[in-house]
């Protein structure tokens, strides 16, 4: 079972409830009093909320897993190791994990928390997945009728049009297949479509 399947409606409600409780407590009672007079229950609340915040981040990342090519053994190993190294860096002091915990627990800023969680995904996308993905894009076809082909999803990139200024992926029957992960391999070295 993947992490995204483990984050249930009940888990989400528990997370929201704990966050609201923390906000309420911090608004009603000075932090010094919470950390002394109510130290034990306050530490439990912070600990449980921190644990759920980390679990949320794991589930979020897992729900956005990247497509890979089953036969690219070396590339898949590189991608897995690169993502693991990035995640390990972000767990270190000063990393995004510490930052999103602070945003949630100390700053009580839920939107900032979400943004920092997203930044972990964004970093893995830019530094790990995008280079991997671009290796699987190539120009193919006869001169004058060449297209960028992606061998992971077996689709072609349609160049930008007025209606779709960013371009899109399509199958060999011109069926729309999505916008995600555009190619970035430069112009056709044989002088075909840009």
């Amino acid at each position: 079972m993947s992490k995204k399947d483990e984050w249930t409606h009940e888990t989400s409600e528990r997370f929201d409830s704990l966050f609201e409780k923390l906000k309420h407590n911090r608004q009603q009672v000075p932090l010094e009093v919470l950390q002394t007079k109510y130290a034990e229950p306050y530490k439990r609340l912070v600990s449980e909320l921190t644990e759920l915040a980390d679990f949320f981040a794991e589930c979020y990342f897992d729900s956005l897993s990247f497509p890979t090519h089953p036969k690219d053994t070396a590339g898949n190993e590189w991608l897995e190791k690169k993502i693991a190294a990035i995640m390990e860096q972000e767990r270190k002091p000063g990393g995004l994990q510490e930052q999103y915990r602070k945003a949630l627990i100390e700053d009580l800023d839920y939107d900032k928390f979400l943004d920092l969680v997203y930044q972990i995904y964004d970093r893995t996308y830019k530094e790990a997945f995008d280079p991997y993905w671009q290796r699987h894009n190539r120009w193919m076809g006869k001169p004058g009728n060449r297209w960028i082909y992606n061998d992971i999803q077996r689709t072609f990139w349609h160049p930008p049009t007025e209606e779709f200024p960013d371009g899109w992926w399509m199958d060999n029957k011109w069926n729309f297949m999505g916008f995600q992960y555009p190619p970035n391999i430069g112009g056709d070295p044989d002088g075909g479509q840009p």
Side-chain angles (χ1 to χ4, degrees):
M1 176 184 289
S2 69
K3 293 270 189 277
K4 65 183 175 184
D5 296 324
E6 295 175 23
W7 186 267
T8 62
H9 179 69
E10 290 76 19
T11 309
S12 184
E13 286 185 339
R14 179 71 180 150
F15 183 65
D16 291 344
S17 171
L18 290 171
F19 181 62
E20 289 304 317
K21 183 176 181 180
L22 178 66
K23 274 181 23 180
H24 176 78
N25 288 351
R26 291 274 299 280
Q27 289 165 354
Q28 301 300 317
V29 182
L31 181 59
E32 184 181 335
V33 175
L34 287 171
Q35 293 174 331
T36 54
K37 185 176 181 181
Y38 303 106
E40 193 175 318
Y42 182 71
K43 283 181 183 175
R44 272 198 312 269
L45 173 61
V46 167
S47 176
E48 188 175 355
L49 188 56
T50 302
E51 188 177 311
L52 281 174
D54 291 345
F55 185 56
F56 172 86
E58 289 176 36
C59 292
Y60 174 79
F61 186 79
D62 192 53
S63 74
L64 299 169
S65 60
F66 301 119
T68 56
H69 195 291
K71 293 184 180 178
D72 186 5
T73 305
N76 294 340
E77 284 180 16
W78 176 87
L79 179 63
E80 190 175 314
K81 286 179 182 175
K82 183 71 174 173
I83 290 173
I86 290 168
M87 299 298 276
E88 185 60 33
Q89 285 177 350
E90 296 303 351
R91 287 187 195 104
K92 290 181 179 177
L96 285 169
Q97 183 183 62
E98 183 177 279
Q99 292 175 48
Y100 75 61
R101 286 175 174 177
K102 179 183 180 299
L104 192 72
I105 305 298
E106 294 178 30
D107 303 338
L108 303 175
D109 190 334
Y110 190 77
D111 290 336
K112 186 177 178 184
F113 161 74
L114 291 177
D115 180 63
L116 289 163
V117 169
Y118 170 76
Q119 285 182 40
I120 297 173
Y121 167 81
D122 190 53
R123 184 177 173 209
T124 60
Y125 172 77
K126 289 175 180 170
E127 296 178 27
F129 179 70
D130 191 56
Y132 171 89
W133 178 258
Q134 301 309 333
R135 286 179 54 244
H136 288 277
N137 293 321
R138 68 179 184 276
W139 285 97
M140 64 180 297
K142 296 178 182 177
N145 187 28
R146 288 171 56 79
W147 296 83
I148 295 175
Y149 178 75
N150 178 270
D151 64 12
I152 294 175
Q153 57 188 12
R154 298 178 182 171
T155 54
F156 297 88
W157 183 253
H158 194 290
T161 63
E162 189 174 315
E163 187 177 0
F164 299 101
D166 295 324
W168 69 92
W169 292 108
M170 63 182 186
D171 65 16
N172 61 1
K173 295 179 182 171
W174 297 79
N175 294 312
F176 173 83
M177 301 300 288
F179 296 100
Q180 262 190 317
Y181 316 129
N184 184 21
I185 60 172
D188 180 359
D190 294 333
Q193 295 184 16

